[in-house]
Amino acid sequence: MFCQCRREARLHNIDFSSWHNVLATVIGLALFTLIGVGVRLVMMLTIQQRRDRLNRQINERLRVLIAAYKTLGGSFTGNLSVDPTHLRDLKQRNSEAGERVSLDLTGGSDRARRIRDAVESALSDVILLGTEEHVRLAARAAGELAGGQLVHTNELVVALRNFVRTALSLDPVPSNLLLPGQGPARPASSGGGSRDRNEKDGGGKGNGGAGDDGIGGGMGGSSSDGSMDEEMPSGHQH
């Protein structure tokens, strides 16, 4: 009885007495459905955009931290510490010792300078985008650099490696696996490349000089034979 009463009340609310009332009812239902679907689509798009933004932020963060890991831990052999000495400090030391300062930028001092600059940039990125542990280790290394002490980055490298592997859902490094200490990546020496470029430029200039001489000699030969001088007027006469 109760269900029958509800059905009769519902039918009573929908007026089928005329086509105008039926059309108005259908349009109202369509508008209500359209508004509901529109609200749902807007909510889905908002959630999707927020999710995409978070994914981009996570990907950018991982990209920066992976680059910092490669910079701070790209070496397994050799000197694994960062020398904080600046060129002005070398000048001051040599001037105090009364020695002449050598500004050979292709030597070891320039390599140490480039390693230090790359490590400072990587530490800045870690302080910006790293976790609390990363920031603490990077701040300590930056403080040691500012204090003029040799810096070892292996502890920070291990923390970055564990974080990246966890973020990428990779298995952790086996605990029984003994890995050697890691230090900053050594940049490739640019001395050979600049020497090759200088030789190439010198050879090109030499060839260019020979070409200019050859062109001049050819024109001189043509002038001495008189053939070039004869052909040009004949061409103008025609």
Side-chain angles (χ1 to χ4, degrees):
M1 178 67 68
F2 179 72
C3 295
Q4 184 177 1
C5 292
R6 288 186 60 186
R7 190 179 301 108
E8 290 178 356
R10 187 180 306 170
L11 292 174
H12 179 72
N13 292 332
I14 302 176
D15 188 7
F16 294 101
S17 60
S18 64
W19 288 105
H20 295 285
N21 295 334
V22 172
L23 184 60
T25 303
V26 171
I27 292 176
L29 292 175
L31 287 176
F32 179 78
T33 304
L34 183 62
I35 292 174
V37 172
V39 171
R40 184 176 180 182
L41 287 177
V42 170
M43 292 180 60
M44 291 177 62
L45 288 176
T46 303
I47 295 174
Q48 184 66 31
Q49 289 177 357
R50 184 180 303 174
R51 187 179 303 170
D52 293 341
R53 184 170 62 253
L54 291 176
N55 289 335
R56 286 195 299 269
Q57 292 176 357
I58 293 173
N59 292 335
E60 182 67 17
R61 183 185 184 188
L62 282 177
R63 186 185 66 81
V64 173
L65 292 180
I66 289 174
Y69 169 82
K70 292 180 179 179
T71 300
L72 297 173
S75 298
F76 292 93
T77 59
N79 186 10
L80 301 181
S81 61
V82 183
D83 186 6
T85 306
H86 286 262
L87 186 59
R88 62 175 179 271
D89 299 330
L90 294 176
K91 290 181 180 180
Q92 184 177 0
R93 293 176 187 175
N94 292 334
S95 60
E96 291 176 356
E99 299 176 358
R100 184 177 179 181
V101 181
S102 177
L103 300 179
D104 184 12
L105 296 181
T106 61
S109 60
D110 181 65
R111 184 181 225 183
R113 178 183 61 82
R114 286 185 286 144
I115 291 176
R116 185 201 65 236
D117 294 343
V119 168
E120 287 181 350
S121 177
L123 291 177
S124 176
D125 292 337
V126 172
I127 292 175
L128 177 64
L129 297 176
T131 62
E132 182 179 356
E133 180 185 8
H134 300 155
V135 173
R136 178 176 55 82
L137 295 174
R140 186 179 68 182
E144 293 175 353
L145 275 176
Q149 304 175 12
L150 292 178
V151 179
H152 295 273
T153 60
N154 183 64
E155 188 176 358
L156 177 57
V157 167
V158 173
L160 288 173
R161 181 177 62 216
N162 294 335
F163 173 79
V164 171
R165 293 185 68 86
T166 302
L168 296 178
S169 301
L170 299 176
D171 295 333
V173 177
S175 58
N176 58 353
L177 182 62
L178 182 60
L179 292 176
Q182 293 178 248
R186 293 185 293 272
S189 177
S190 59
S194 58
R195 190 183 307 113
D196 295 338
R197 286 193 297 269
N198 291 334
E199 291 177 0
K200 186 181 295 184
D201 294 338
K205 290 179 180 179
N207 294 335
D212 293 339
D213 294 339
I215 293 174
M219 291 184 67
S222 300
S223 299
S224 61
D225 294 339
S227 58
M228 181 74 70
D229 297 333
E230 292 177 358
E231 290 176 1
M232 291 297 293
S234 61
H236 286 290
Q237 288 176 1
H238 290 291

